[in-house]
Structures are given as C-alpha cells and as structure tokens.
Amino acid sequence: MPPARVRYLSEITAAVRDYNRNTDEQSAIATKLYQLDGVLGDLPADSNARPALERQQKQLEQRLLPLCKKLIDEWPATKELYQQESFGYDVRGKEIRQPLFSQSLSGTNIPRISVPRYKDWGDVLRWRLQENFPGKYPYTAGVFPLKRAEEDPTRMFAGEGGPERTNKRFHYVSSGQPAKRLSTAFDSVTLYGEDPDNRPDIYGKIGNAGVSIATVDDAKKLYSGFDLCDPRTSVSMTINGPASIVLAFFMNAAIDQQCEKWMTANGKAAPGGGTRPEYNNPSFPGVLPDGNDGLGLALLGLSGDQVLTSDVYEKIKADTLSQVRGTVQADILKEDQAQNTCIFSTEFALRLMGDVQEYFIKNQVRNFYSVSISGYHIAEAGANPITQLAFTLSNGFTYVEYYLSRGMAIDDFAPNLSFFFSNGMDPEYSVIGRVARRIWAKTIRHVYKGNSRSQKLKYHIQTSGRSLHAQEIDFNDIRTTLQALYAIYDNCNSLHTNAYDEAITTPTEESVRRAMAIRLIINRELGSVRTENFVQGSFALEELTDLVEEAVLTEFDRLTERGGVLGAMERMYQRNKIQEESLYYESLKHSGELPIVGVNTFLDKKGSPTVLPGEVIRSTTEEKDQQIANLRAFRKRNSGERAQRLASLKEVAISNGNLFEELMQTVKYCTLGEITNALYEVGGQYRRNM
C-alpha cells in the first residue's frame, strides 16, 4: 500500500472553514446590497445622494461572487417551485413527480417542503449556502428532493441459528411490506472467519447472537424466497474481517437465483443425482416459512455456470451485478478502533476492500455499497456523538485517499460508499445527519472535485443499543421512539429501531413487531413528519449544527497532529479517547448525575431490579449439529476442486491481482474457514499494536 498522506485532514478542515468564512462574508455583502436597494428605491431620481450610493452599490456587486448573485436572483422562482401542487425531479433519466401538499383530518393543507420567508438577501444567501432545500447542495436537509412515497425507511436486524431460522425471521419482519429491507447479523464464528466445528471454543457459539454462514449454499438458503434483483429488495450484511468472502457468497447466491429464473422460463431443470443439500430446519422440517416461494433453492450444491452455457451465464451474471442492491459493512478502520473483529492485517484488509471496489467499478455494480463506514460501533464502545461523527467521517476520507492512491476516480467509487450512525439521547444526535452531509458535500466538492452524486452522503441509523437497560425494559421503547424521531426528522435514508428486550436476549417476534411499529407509527400517524424539512429554520437546531460542525473539524485537527487517521491508530489515540468517554458516561450514570429513568432515578418500590428473561433465545443443539454436517457434506462434494482453488487464490494474492474477482470463483468450492486460513498465509493475521 502506498504511504498514507498525513495532510488531507488539514486540507479538509481548511476547505470547510474557508467555505464557512466566505459564506459569512458574502452574506454580509448581500445584506448591505439589500439595504442599499431599499434606500435607492425610496430616493427621488434627482437626489444628490444617489450617485454616491450607486457607486457603493456597484463596488459591493463586484465583490459578490457570480454564484452568490445567481442564488439570490433565482430565489423567487425557486420558492415558487415548492409552492405548486406537485414537484418533479430526475432520477437516472426518469422524471419522478410527487404532490407537495397533503391534507390533514382537519382539512389543513400540509406542505411536504416548508419554504423560508426570508426577504433580506443576506439571509437568503446564507440559507442557500448552508442549508438549502432537500436534494440541493450542501444537502444539509437531505440528499433527495423528496422521500419515496411508496415505502418507509425501515430495516430490521436479524440473525439467529442456522440460515433457515434467520430466513424465517426475514420473511416475518418483511411480511406485508412493499420493500424488503433485510439486515443480517452473523454469529461470532462467522465474524472471525471460522467454520462451524465441534471444537469447544467454536461449538457453543454456532448460531448464537447471529446466523451461522460458512458456505455459498448457506447464503442461498438465508436469502431464499427474496428476489435479490428486485429493486424493492436490499440486503445489508454486518460483517467486516471476512466481508469480501461473505460478499462473494451473497453475489453468487444472487446470480444463481437469476440462473434459476432463466431455467424455469426456458423449461430447463437442474440436474439431479448425487447428494444435494436441502433447506431444512429441525424446528420446522421439510416446510418453507410463510412468504418463501423457494426461489434460490433449486441450485443448492451447484453453480449456475455448471448448468448453463458460458454466454448465457455471463450475461445473467452481468445483469445481476448491475441490479443487486445492498450494503456490506467491511469497515476495517472502525474495527481496529472500537469493535475488534479484525482477522487480517490492516494493510491486507484495506487491500481486500480496494479489490472489491475495483471489481464494482469494472462490473458496473452501481446499486450496492462496497463499504458501510460505521460510527455505530464507535458509539456503542463509549464515544460521545461528536467523537463518533468525527472518527467516522475521518475514516471515510481515509478510504477516499486510499482508493484514489490505487488509481480509482472519485466519481467512480464515492457513490458506492455509505455511512452508519448510532442515535442516542444527547442533543448532538438531533443534527448528526445534517453535519455529516454538510461536511462530506463541501469536502467532496471543493477538495476532491467530485460530482453531485459523489457529494451525497447516504446513511443508515440504528437506535442506540447502549441506551437499552435490563432494568425497567419496557422503558426502552420510549427511548427508542425518541431516538427514531431524531433520525426521521434528520432525514436519514434508512432506520433500524432496537427491540426493548435486546438488553437481555436476542429479540423475540413480539418485541421485533413492537420495534417495527415505532417507525410505522411515526411515519404513518405523526402529522409533523408529513413535512420533510420540519426542523429547518429552528434557531437552536441551526446553532447546534454549526457548533457540532466546528467540533468535528477540531477533532480533525487533533488527528492531523497525530499523523492522520492511520498515524493516530498507531498511537491508539482513537481507542483511548473512546474508552475515556465511556468511563465518563459510566461514572455519571453510577453517581446519578446523569439521570436515567428506571435505572438510577424514578425507581419502583422494588428498586427496579434487573429483569431476568424467562427464555433466552439460543441456537439449538440440532441446529449446531446440522451446520457442522452441512459443512462436511460441502467439503466432501468439492474435495476435488478445493486444493486447486485455494492455490489459485494465494497466487493471485502474491501476484497482486484482484482478490475479489478470484473469490467469486473460490467460494463456489471452498468454505469460509478454508479461504480465511489460505489468505492468512499470504496476507498475515491481525496483531494489535501495544
């Protein structure tokens, strides 16, 4: 990997601060021009004062930048666009038109977008340069002009037992929803790149706190019954160390689904014979869950290129890659800083991420995010909201620098980057999206010269798991509701609400239903969310946005002083700061200075003891044994190919080829554990700096 630059964060802070300073200066000029225009309008034409005032006006106009003059001149026409009955905008060459007003039960016309009433040109200019309408630079109010009308920004996290049990949960949480937004939790065995096994340190963890996935067949079962190329289907995978391998599982599962559909349409059956794997859960043997039509199961044990001609398969593959939607987390920097599920050396992990992105560019994978740059785990480890945002954005800019160093163009990869934040109870969480979008847009535009698509920061919010308590667990839903409201008012692109019982167990179907209801009630019943920029114009919110933006830039300065993100990581700066902030929070909670209802204040007469769950959801012995048996059967079926495929993978690594391109073939014949152990030999295992 080329040497990391240590200048880029200072360049970013300078560019953003210059933009803010120029905004103040240009707004002050615009205000003076507005005042002069009013005075001149009231003066008689033959007034002796007019020549001097007109000279002053001309001098000020010369200092006003052409862009700023344009923003002021077009303001009346721009306002008019948002006061019509409907609004149209372009998405990839297709016009989308939506109504701009809805009617309340009382008969009031509620605007989708509220328009400022500013008259002073300085106020207008400042608002347009720092706030603006949703979908307009700097995207403070949102990256799209209007939200999709046909779906709610809902995404539920699920993962337990084997792939069949989690598949059943996916069909449960998406039942009746027009869009299928699936978020996948993996067990710790998978997260660390190991295979299910009878080893004592592995066996008990199989399928607990996440789903067990070790082969491409597991991935096919996990997402069966969901058309992965349907534009209404999107799959998120929370995995980092072995992200590229699991992503290759997913991509092959999606491709083989489409091969299966082609075979059905053309009357071609999958070849029989041999011992083929089956979709089977010990708790519901031989039965598919409600909503699962079996799509994705016909080619278990096979790959599409084994049953279709090369030209047909390659066309299906290309079409699939251009359509499939979703996200893989893959963010190795935050793993080192907070989460700890690192398996490869940091340099090799970055190379794998870069190889995935290069493959995406080469194969026109436009709708899938190659990395979800994550602040959630930084917050869960104890960071306050400003630190979460600063570390996450700085990690994002580090990936930008790395991809650029590999010769990729900013507009080719920036649209494949997404972000993931936590929302807690602190006031700064109410503006975390606004500040993130604003800093990202200013930087990509002015430092990296990226286009408007690259400037749009899209992010997922999950309500704070750290704010869930095992005491008075019913109160957790109240906290989650408020955090969800923060996120929706802040125009997040996707939202997950935690279940109230997650402090003590994997969520039950009942608690998950309640968690989903929180979002649906806000989106469908709360009248204020009909206005998509409902919080814009608040004095407090705008001031808080400016304060948090400057606080983030100040943290960038601290990182720059330590040699940038990678230099600071070598000194363990990020980890130490997160731990200090975690200790501060815990000490205030323990002393009662930070009131938490039902935990250290407003206790019930029994003292609000910790709730003991009646049942803790765990994978069963039958599920664990089935995963091990399935793995052994996979290895047996592919024993003739395994050694050659792993040798080829290591050769590509040594010769500096694209590893993800090779992994797309390797995963058809090799297991997760076999692949990670082969890569350890050429890329090294993770060792923390001490």
Side-chain angles (χ1 to χ4, degrees), residues 571-688:
R571 296 162 174 79
M572 298 185 73
Y573 170 73
Q574 291 96 329
R575 291 183 68 85
N576 289 337
K577 193 171 197 311
I578 291 166
Q579 290 167 4
E580 287 171 5
E581 291 174 0
S582 178
L583 180 61
Y584 180 63
Y585 167 84
E586 293 296 337
S587 64
L588 293 182
K589 183 174 77 171
H590 182 72
S591 69
E593 293 176 74
L594 179 68
I596 300 177
V597 174
V599 176
N600 61 17
T601 187
F602 193 63
L603 305 180
D604 72 10
K605 58 186 177 182
K606 296 179 182 178
S608 296
T610 298
V611 174
L612 298 177
E615 175 189 8
V616 177
I617 295 178
R618 292 290 184 266
S619 60
T620 64
T621 300
E622 291 80 10
E623 285 176 312
K624 293 184 178 76
D625 291 343
Q626 178 175 283
Q627 281 300 96
I628 295 171
N630 289 346
L631 179 85
R632 289 171 178 168
F634 183 93
R635 286 176 174 169
K636 184 177 180 180
R637 282 195 308 275
N638 297 291
S639 58
E641 291 272 357
R642 181 189 310 118
Q644 178 187 345
R645 293 292 175 178
L646 294 176
S648 177
L649 180 67
K650 288 188 281 189
E651 177 59 32
V652 169
I654 293 169
S655 62
N656 208 32
N658 188 295
L659 278 164
F660 187 70
E661 189 160 7
E662 186 66 22
L663 280 171
M664 287 290 288
Q665 296 301 316
T666 311
V667 298
K668 297 174 183 178
Y669 306 98
C670 303
T671 69
L672 175 63
E674 290 169 345
I675 295 169
T676 53
N677 280 282
L679 292 176
Y680 289 152
E681 296 178 25
V682 291
Q685 285 185 267
Y686 176 78
R687 292 291 184 271
R688 181 173 301 289

Side-chain angles (χ1 to χ4, degrees), residues 422-559:
S422 170
N423 247 23
M425 303 295 284
D426 297 341
E428 294 89 349
Y429 284 115
S430 64
V431 299
I432 196 167
R434 290 165 54 81
V435 176
R437 286 189 293 258
R438 183 187 286 188
I439 291 177
W440 184 261
K442 293 174 183 176
T443 302
I444 297 299
R445 182 171 184 170
H446 296 287
V447 176
Y448 295 109
K449 313 304 180 186
N451 63 22
S452 60
R453 190 163 179 249
S454 299
Q455 295 164 21
K456 295 176 180 179
L457 181 146
K458 287 161 279 187
Y459 72 101
H460 171 71
I461 280 282
Q462 182 173 341
T463 59
S464 172
R466 191 165 178 250
S467 70
L468 303 178
H469 299 281
Q471 297 162 265
E472 301 274 12
I473 63 172
D474 286 344
F475 292 177
N476 288 333
D477 271 345
I478 301 170
R479 297 184 181 95
T480 295
T481 300
L482 297 172
Q483 293 161 9
L485 191 59
Y486 267 168
I488 290 171
Y489 277 159
D490 205 13
N491 229 333
C492 69
N493 302 104
S494 173
L495 173 63
H496 167 89
T497 40
N498 290 325
Y500 71 91
D501 56 358
E502 286 188 63
I504 57 174
T505 181
T506 301
T508 63
E509 287 193 356
E510 177 268 337
S511 66
V512 165
R513 179 170 169 77
R514 281 175 59 173
M516 289 190 68
I518 289 172
R519 281 168 292 172
L520 296 177
I521 289 169
I522 292 173
N523 285 330
R524 301 184 183 186
E525 296 185 33
L526 186 64
S528 59
V529 301
R530 295 188 186 186
T531 300
E532 297 185 15
N533 62 339
F534 188 76
V535 296
Q536 266 193 307
S538 161
F539 299 139
L541 207 73
E542 289 183 359
E543 183 173 2
L544 187 58
T545 301
D546 292 341
L547 290 170
V548 172
E549 181 180 41
E550 180 54 36
V552 168
L553 298 180
T554 301
E555 186 57 47
F556 284 2
D557 291 338
R558 297 190 188 104
L559 290 167

